[in-house]
Each structure stands twice: as structure tokens, then as C-alpha cells.
Amino acid sequence: MTRYDSSDAAARLGAEIREVRKARDLTLNALSAQLSCSTAYLSRIELGRARVSDQLLQEIGKVLRVDPAWFFPVQSGDGPLERHHIVRSENRRQLSDMYTRGEEEMGFRDELLSSTLSGQCYLLLSRFAPSKGAPPEPLEGFVFEGEQHAIVINGEVELRLGEELIILRTGDSFSYPSMIAHRFRNRTNEEAIMVWAMSPVRISW
């Protein structure tokens, strides 16, 4: 028996494969075309109704650019609800390694605070490494459907929101529709940390 044979584990794995696939902007047909399984079987996997072999999971991870181990977070606790829904700080999963843009270009590194990517929104923590000024030319702002809410819990971050430059300091928070072009940068010599709530789930930066 493998670690994803139980119905609960299979449902969780299937939901996260589905969310990563959608975040990569791939249809079931497009993903299955690159795998050794049919669209119908992949659909059953995402619904938690079919077993995923180790070989198939490796294929899925390669196409989705995700280490298969990412789908199996360390869960601890006495009860099943605690193990399923609580994320201990030492067990957070990295998100930045899954992004289509590198950490140097993004300017920050993300950790997943939510227990899953399969909800309507997700919570993450961003760490902005110290920096000493601005790049020679302004970088393109991000624009996508959805909304973002966040609070700065340490340090100082510059937010470029539309045509405005806004300095956010510890304790400052915000919310805005993410169709407004936005970009963040830490211009100080200290690490800055922000906690975000974002909807919908998005990992294709």
C-alpha cells in the first residue's frame, strides 16, 4: 500500500494535482496528452477515485514542474482534523520553486501557509531579501484576475500600484483587485516579511 491509497489521501492528492494543473493553465486533455494515461483516468485521479502509481506521479510532476514530494506535506498532530488542517511552521511547503519566474526576478520567496491549494483562496508568507536600491529600469507590474490582501509583519516594502509608489511599513495592510498592475520591492538592508491572502489560487508568475 502506498501513502496515497486511502480515500482521504487520494482525494487530497487529486485536488492538489487539479489545482496545480489549473494554475499552470492546462486542461485535462492537455495534461493527459503528455502522460501515459487517458483523460478519463486523469479525471478520476483528480476526483480521488483512482490510484496514482509512482511512475505516473513522476510524469505528472515533470509536466507540472513540481517535485512529486511536494504533494505529500508533513502532517503532525493527535487527531485527524489537526493533521489535515493545521500547518506547523517547520512543515510549510515552498511555493517559489514552482513559479515560472525565478526568485531573483520576483524579489521574494513564498511559503504556503494554507494546508492545501484546493480551496477558494490561499494564505502565504513572502520573504523579501535585503536590497540596496532600485533596478535600472522599472520592471513590468503583474496583472491578473482576482484579489490580494496582505499585511507587512516585518520590515518595509515598496508597492508600485498602478502609477503610484507606496511605502508599506510593519503593521500596514492593504487589499486591491489584482487587475491593477502591481509590483513589490524591498529597498532596505533588512529582510521584510508579508502575509497574504489571495484568490484565486495562482502559481504561474
Side-chain angles (χ1 to χ4, degrees):
M1 178 176 291
T2 68
R3 53 188 169 179
Y4 39 86
D5 276 332
S6 73
S7 59
D8 182 68
R12 181 189 181 100
L13 173 60
E16 294 212 329
I17 290 174
R18 180 179 64 249
E19 291 308 315
V20 174
R21 172 182 62 77
K22 290 166 61 179
R24 295 288 191 222
D25 198 27
L26 289 171
T27 64
L28 274 167
N29 286 334
L31 178 55
S32 65
Q34 303 179 66
L35 305 174
S36 59
C37 75
S38 67
T39 300
Y41 193 80
L42 179 59
S43 178
R44 291 178 59 206
I45 288 173
E46 291 190 355
L47 293 172
R49 298 174 183 168
R51 182 183 180 278
V52 189
S53 68
D54 290 330
Q55 177 181 345
L56 181 55
L57 188 60
Q58 289 290 333
E59 292 179 30
I60 292 171
K62 182 177 181 179
V63 176
L64 295 180
R65 302 190 300 278
V66 179
D67 183 341
W70 189 91
F71 290 113
F72 303 99
V74 177
Q75 298 171 297
S76 59
D78 296 328
L81 293 178
E82 179 180 355
R83 290 191 295 272
H84 189 80
H85 297 291
I86 305 303
V87 179
R88 300 299 175 187
S89 60
E90 66 272 16
N91 297 335
R92 292 177 192 155
R93 292 186 283 177
Q94 296 294 328
L95 283 178
S96 297
D97 294 339
M98 300 167 64
Y99 294 163
T100 49
R101 300 176 191 243
E103 183 179 343
E104 183 175 345
E105 180 182 355
M106 296 288 290
F108 53 84
R109 183 166 186 80
D110 286 343
E111 301 172 10
L112 182 63
L113 299 179
S114 298
S115 58
T116 180
L117 284 177
S118 61
Q120 298 302 308
C121 69
Y122 67 124
L123 195 66
L124 63 153
L125 181 145
S126 294
R127 297 182 182 275
F128 294 77
S131 181
K132 293 185 178 180
E137 296 181 4
L139 296 172
E140 176 186 358
F142 299 112
V143 177
F144 50 87
E145 292 185 2
E147 57 184 62
Q148 297 179 308
H149 307 258
I151 183 170
V152 180
I153 62 174
N154 185 69
E156 180 178 300
V157 176
E158 179 191 85
L159 163 63
R160 180 156 57 90
L161 188 62
E163 298 300 320
E164 300 181 24
L165 287 177
I166 304 165
I167 301 300
L168 302 170
R169 299 180 177 87
T170 300
D172 292 343
S173 58
F174 62 81
S175 58
Y176 56 76
S178 45
M179 287 300 293
I180 302 175
H182 53 280
R183 190 87 192 203
F184 294 87
R185 182 172 177 79
N186 176 8
R187 291 190 173 186
T188 75
N189 294 326
E190 303 292 334
E191 180 185 59
I193 300 176
M194 295 174 61
V195 172
W196 302 74
M198 297 179 60
S199 176
V201 172
R202 177 185 175 86
I203 57 172
S204 295
W205 296 102

